[in-house]
C-alpha cells in the first residue's frame, strides 16, 4: 500500500527541477534504491505491487517517461545510463512446456544494465539479460540475450550491429563531458 501511494504521487509530479527532485524522493519512499542524483522525467509503471524494492538505479542515470519495470526478478541499472521513453524491463516470463488444464509455469531472472549504457525508445529487455558497459540498444529492439560492452544491437530479436570505439577508462562520477551529461542538469 505504501509503495502504491508514493508511486502514484511521484507519477503526478510536473516536469521541471522541483518536480524531478520531488519525484526522485517519492520513488525512494516507494522503495526504489536510487543512488545520488537520478533523473526520472515522467511516470513509471512498476509491477507487481511490492516490486519497487527489487529496483536499483545508479547515480546520474536518466529515465524518460512511461518506463515499465516488471521487477519480480530484480532490475539493476548502473551509473550514467540513459533510458528513453517507453522502455520495458520484463524480468518474468513463462516456460514453453505446459500441462493440459494448467497454466504455463512462470520463471524469473534479473536484468542488469551496466554503466554508460543507452537504451533507445520502445526497447524491451527480457529476463536474464545483461547489457554491457557503454552498450547501445536501438529503439524498438527486443533484447533476449546479453549485450556485449561497447556494442550496438537492434532489431527483433536484437542482434549485433557494430562495435563502438573505446572511450577512456577514467570515466567516473565527476566526468561532466559524457554524452547526455546535460540531462543531469535537471537534478
Amino acid at each position: 500500500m505504501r509503495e502504491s501511494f508514493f508511486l502514484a504521487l511521484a507519477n503526478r509530479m510536473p516536469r521541471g527541477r522541483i518536480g524531478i527532485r520531488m519525484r526522485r524522493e517519492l520513488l525512494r519512499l516507494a522503495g526504489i534504491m536510487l543512488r545520488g542524483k537520478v533523473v526520472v522525467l515522467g511516470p513509471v509503471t512498476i509491477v507487481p505491487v511490492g516490486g519497487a524494492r527489487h529496483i536499483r538505479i545508479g547515480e546520474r542515470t536518466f529515465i524518460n517517461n512511461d518506463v515499465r519495470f516488471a521487477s519480480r526478478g530484480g532490475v539493476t541499472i548502473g551509473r550514467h545510463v540513459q533510458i528513453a521513453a517507453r522502455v520495458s524491463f520484463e524480468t518474468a516470463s513463462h516456460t514453453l512446456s505446459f500441462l493440459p488444464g494448467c497454466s504455463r509455469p512462470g520463471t524469473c531472472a534479473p536484468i542488469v544494465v551496466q554503466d554508460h549504457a543507452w537504451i533507445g525508445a520502445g526497447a524491451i529487455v527480457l529476463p536474464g539479460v545483461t547489457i554491457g558497459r557503454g552498450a547501445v540498444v536501438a529503439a524498438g529492439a527486443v533484447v533476449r540475450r546479453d549485450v556485449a560492452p561497447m556494442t550496438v544491437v537492434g532489431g527483433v530479436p536484437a542482434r549485433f550491429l557494430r562495435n563502438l570505439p573505446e572511450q577512456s577508462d577514467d570515466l567516473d562520477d565527476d566526468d561532466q563531458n559524457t554524452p547526455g551529461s546535460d540531462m543531469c542538469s535537471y537534478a
Side-chain angles (χ1 to χ4, degrees):
M1 176 97 145
R2 172 187 166 114
E3 175 187 304
S4 298
F5 175 74
F6 287 116
L7 183 60
L9 284 177
N11 285 340
R12 286 173 176 74
M13 289 293 112
R15 288 191 179 199
R17 290 182 192 275
I18 294 172
I20 287 171
R21 287 180 183 150
M22 290 177 67
R23 182 178 297 111
R24 181 173 50 234
E25 294 311 313
L26 290 166
L27 291 173
R28 280 188 176 114
L29 290 170
I32 298 175
M33 180 186 283
L34 300 173
R35 294 199 174 112
K37 291 183 177 180
V38 173
V39 175
V40 181
L41 275 192
V44 296
T45 301
I46 301 171
V47 294
V49 172
R53 70 180 186 271
H54 300 294
I55 303 170
R56 290 173 172 66
I57 302 173
E59 59 193 342
R60 298 223 181 243
T61 287
F62 174 84
I63 299 174
N64 211 315
N65 59 300
D66 299 321
V67 172
R68 173 184 155 91
F69 295 94
S71 59
R72 184 179 310 251
V75 177
T76 302
I77 298 172
R79 301 175 306 137
H80 298 273
V81 174
Q82 294 174 291
I83 300 171
R86 296 175 313 283
V87 170
S88 183
F89 296 96
E90 303 293 331
T91 64
S93 189
H94 298 278
T95 63
L96 293 176
S97 61
F98 70 96
L99 297 172
C102 298
S103 63
R104 296 176 190 273
T107 62
C108 289
I111 293 172
V112 176
V113 180
Q114 295 178 348
D115 298 347
H116 299 280
W118 172 24
I119 303 175
I124 300 171
V125 183
L126 297 178
V129 167
T130 296
I131 297 174
R133 178 180 168 82
V136 175
V137 175
V142 176
V143 184
R144 61 186 182 109
R145 292 194 176 123
D146 289 352
V147 177
M150 301 305 294
T151 60
V152 179
V153 299
V156 179
R159 66 186 195 297
F160 171 83
L161 297 177
R162 69 184 183 106
N163 287 309
L164 293 170
E166 286 293 328
Q167 299 292 323
S168 69
D169 289 334
D170 59 355
L171 291 176
D172 60 23
D173 300 330
D174 299 324
D175 186 359
Q176 297 297 313
N177 297 319
T178 58
S181 63
D182 58 325
M183 305 243 182
C184 295
S185 65
Y186 280 111

